[in-house]
Amino acid sequence: MVDRRPFLHIRDVSKTFTIGEERVEALHHVDLIVDKGELVCLIGASGCGKSTLLRIVAGFETPTLGDVRVYDAPITGPGSDRGMVFQDYALFPWMSVRQNIAFGPTQKGLKDAPDIAGKYLEMVGLSKFADRFPYQLSGGMKQRVAIARVLANEASILLMDEPFGALDALTREQLQDELLEIWTRTKVTILFVTHSVEEATLLADRVVVMTAGPGRIESDNRVRLARPRDVSAPDFNDARRALTERLTSHVRRRQLRTAA
């Protein structure tokens, strides 16, 4: 029997922070459904609340209004079903690559934690580096470890906060390809924050454009391009330009309202 409940449902979420005596609304009535196995990118200018929304889904922040549900069960805090991958890797520096990846299964008391780590070491191509420490790895390798650590914890939702933003262009392209391969193999649901329209067009099933002041969804756009995608192809550039127009149009509208 097919479960027709929304897999991940962000329901009318608003978030307000108090900074000194000032109240700042970071998110305003955000509503979004992500189907199981989808890869959805969030794009928008700095300050539009992308990372805040991701942290709410992770359970690190509590919404001021609304809630987030997985199969109709409310998220009330962090959980092993959701794994976060940060731009700065967030690895344990005193643990080897293998130990970092095995951390979640070990904490659960799983006797096969080493085997689980080995499986994901192989998936991200780091079996030969299993006994290295984070300081001995390149940035791209560290990010592979971070992804493998989340997957080893059997997360069904992978939350990625600009994970490739600090990498050089060549490494970034390589990891984009590897992420798509991992996603195809695991069918994990991915919510991916990026500033790059090209990256979003390359990776996503859907691209959600957010606007700032406060953060809200401007548009939800399905990318109707077959995979693998060629960033130099005319249809790819048409899709990228359309998303760029979506991303910048609200800025022009705001300027016109201000001028008026």
Side-chain angles (χ1 to χ4, degrees):
M1 186 174 178
V2 177
D3 192 333
R4 300 192 181 281
R5 293 174 298 174
F7 175 60
L8 174 63
H9 192 178
I10 299 166
R11 307 195 317 168
D12 200 28
V13 164
S14 296
K15 178 65 177 180
T16 301
F17 294 98
T18 301
I19 304 174
E21 297 182 355
E22 183 181 4
R23 288 174 61 82
V24 177
E25 190 177 18
L27 294 169
H28 182 77
H29 297 296
V30 173
D31 201 283
L32 180 66
I33 290 175
V34 179
D35 291 333
K36 187 172 179 60
E38 270 196 305
L39 199 167
V40 175
C41 283
L42 303 176
I43 63 172
S46 295
C48 72
K50 303 184 301 296
S51 295
T52 298
L53 185 59
L54 216 63
R55 291 178 63 83
I56 288 173
V57 176
F60 300 153
E61 299 275 0
T62 302
T64 306
L65 295 172
D67 63 10
V68 181
R69 293 173 176 256
V70 177
Y71 280 144
D72 213 30
I75 290 173
T76 58
S80 61
D81 62 321
R82 287 154 283 126
M84 191 88 156
V85 178
F86 301 92
Q87 187 179 121
D88 61 357
Y89 321 122
L91 302 178
F92 300 123
W94 60 90
M95 290 185 179
S96 70
V97 168
R98 188 191 308 277
Q99 289 168 332
N100 264 282
I101 296 172
F103 179 77
T106 300
Q107 290 296 105
K108 292 178 180 179
L110 300 180
K111 294 181 179 179
D112 59 345
D115 294 333
I116 294 171
K119 171 185 172 181
Y120 289 103
L121 274 165
E122 183 178 354
M123 184 177 292
V124 298
L126 290 176
S127 297
K128 294 181 180 179
F129 300 88
D131 298 319
R132 300 279 184 92
F133 288 85
Y135 77 91
Q136 297 174 303
L137 306 178
S138 67
M141 294 165 74
K142 289 177 185 177
Q143 202 56 286
R144 290 186 185 94
V145 176
I147 293 169
R149 183 174 61 180
V150 169
L151 295 174
N153 212 27
E154 296 186 336
S156 57
I157 301 173
L158 185 56
L159 304 169
M160 308 189 78
D161 193 2
E162 296 194 70
F164 308 146
L167 304 175
D168 63 86
L170 187 61
T171 303
R172 183 173 188 154
E173 289 177 11
Q174 184 178 357
L175 282 182
Q176 288 167 344
D177 289 342
E178 291 180 7
L179 176 64
L180 286 171
E181 184 178 345
I182 290 168
W183 172 67
T184 301
R185 291 173 63 180
T186 64
K187 304 302 182 184
V188 65
T189 303
I190 300 178
L191 195 57
F192 188 108
V193 165
T194 179
H195 276 103
S196 169
V197 176
E198 180 175 291
E199 182 168 66
T201 308
L202 177 69
L203 295 177
D205 292 318
R206 290 159 51 206
V207 178
V208 176
V209 177
M210 296 186 65
T211 64
R216 66 187 79 205
I217 292 177
E218 191 276 338
S219 63
D220 187 341
N221 311 273
R222 185 160 296 278
V223 182
R224 302 185 186 279
L225 299 174
R227 293 187 173 94
R229 295 171 183 166
D230 180 357
V231 297
S232 64
D235 58 349
F236 183 94
N237 283 293
D238 288 344
R240 179 179 54 79
R241 278 192 294 270
L243 284 171
T244 300
E245 172 65 23
R246 288 285 192 180
L247 187 61
T248 58
S249 62
H250 72 280
V251 176
R252 291 197 297 272
R253 289 197 300 270
R254 181 181 297 175
Q255 289 171 341
L256 288 171
R257 286 197 300 269
T258 302

